Amino acid sequence: QVHLVQSGAEVKKPGASVKVSCKVSGYTLTELSMYWVRQAPGKGLEWMGGFDPEDGETIYAQKFQGRVTMTEDTSTDTAYMELSSLRSEDTAVYYCATTNRPLFYGMDVWGQGTTVTVSS
Amino acid sequence: QSVLTQPPSASGTPGQRVTISCSGSSSNIGSNAVNWYQQLPGTAPKLLIYTNNQRPSGVPDRFSGSKSGTSASLAISGLQSEDEADYYCAAWDDSLNGYVFGTGTKVTVL
């Protein structure tokens, strides 16, 4: 079965960038569609974007367009999410989540989460 | 601010039935499948229901989902203490061209 392991916690200053990794095992990255979801402290889940298998492109939620970049290294089966121009409101747990079916079936495997703290 | 609205909280005693609503619009629930996620305290979310009413392998049949028009519901029958968690509905939104989560409902077992 699929297993996702994310990189460790990060502390960044406002204006900096952060890059979170998500290592896949059990499947190859090319067999999956990877998505990113974040959760601010005490708040709900927020979808950031991910791979659209229908057209082979990455879709970003409108809120994050221009500030987020999601990439994949198929040689290491690792997905990355980079968020730039960080501000305090970006303090959150960032999750990678995946499925090997269309997204309307839901994201059925999740990473353990990576805490990103933005503070001066 | 989410486009899918849920009640902030719901509660019941062990064995009771609890229902959580999820209200959307024609661009999301009205035209796309609904998924439900369970998030136990301090853990990553878990897919609980997919395509409106299907349970992934391993999810107890105490959990059931339904959809009608632009609304969906999650029912937990025979409530157990381990069901105490946050629950989120989610669906694709054609207008936003993105996947949206509900505001979340905290279920408390009294």
Side-chain angles (χ1 to χ4, degrees), chain A residues 3-82:
Chain A
H3 191 52
L4 306 178
V5 177
Q6 298 183 223
S7 49
E10 302 264 12
V11 178
K12 297 291 183 181
K13 293 193 181 303
S17 297
V18 68
K19 192 169 186 177
V20 179
S21 68
C22 175
K23 169 73 174 172
V24 175
S25 62
Y27 271 65
T28 64
L29 198 47
T30 55
E31 298 175 287
L32 304 169
S33 294
M34 191 66 72
Y35 304 96
W36 293 87
V37 175
R38 79 175 187 180
Q39 186 171 37
K43 302 297 184 181
L45 302 173
E46 186 172 33
W47 187 79
M48 299 179 70
F51 182 74
D52 181 357
E54 287 197 4
D55 60 13
E57 300 292 327
T58 299
I59 299 178
Y60 300 124
Q62 292 175 5
K63 176 177 179 178
F64 300 101
Q65 283 181 4
R67 213 160 61 92
V68 69
T69 305
M70 297 172 188
T71 56
E72 297 181 351
D73 182 345
T74 55
S75 69
T76 60
D77 289 320
T78 303
Y80 298 91
M81 185 284 300
E82 183 170 22

Side-chain angles (χ1 to χ4, degrees), chain B:
Chain B
Q1 55 278 32
S2 176
V3 298
L4 302 182
T5 302
Q6 301 177 231
S9 62
S11 62
T13 57
Q16 277 191 326
R17 176 184 172 91
V18 168
T19 301
I20 301 168
S21 62
C22 175
S23 178
S25 68
S26 58
S27 65
N28 41 67
I29 295 177
S31 52
N32 294 295
V34 176
N35 307 129
W36 289 89
Y37 297 87
Q38 177 193 57
Q39 187 176 31
L40 298 170
T43 69
K46 167 190 169 184
L47 181 64
L48 194 66
I49 297 286
Y50 65 93
T51 57
N52 306 323
N53 54 21
Q54 301 299 304
R55 286 185 306 278
S57 175
V59 173
D61 59 6
R62 304 184 289 104
F63 295 93
S64 61
S66 63
K67 185 181 102 166
S68 178
T70 59
S71 294
S73 293
L74 173 72
I76 311 172
S77 59
L79 192 65
Q80 298 184 6
S81 58
E82 57 260 38
D83 300 332
E84 198 160 272
D86 294 323
Y87 293 84
Y88 296 89
C89 59
W92 186 262
D93 189 291
D94 295 330
S95 295
L96 296 175
N97 196 36
Y99 192 73
V100 291
F101 286 98
T103 50
T105 299
K106 182 177 183 61
V107 169
T108 301
V109 181
L110 302 171

Side-chain angles (χ1 to χ4, degrees), chain A residues 94-117:
Chain A
Y94 290 77
Y95 295 101
C96 57
T98 192
T99 176
N100 63 350
R101 300 191 288 183
L103 183 53
F104 64 80
Y105 284 92
M107 297 172 281
D108 53 2
V109 179
W110 291 65
Q112 83 276 20
T114 296
T115 299
V116 175
T117 302

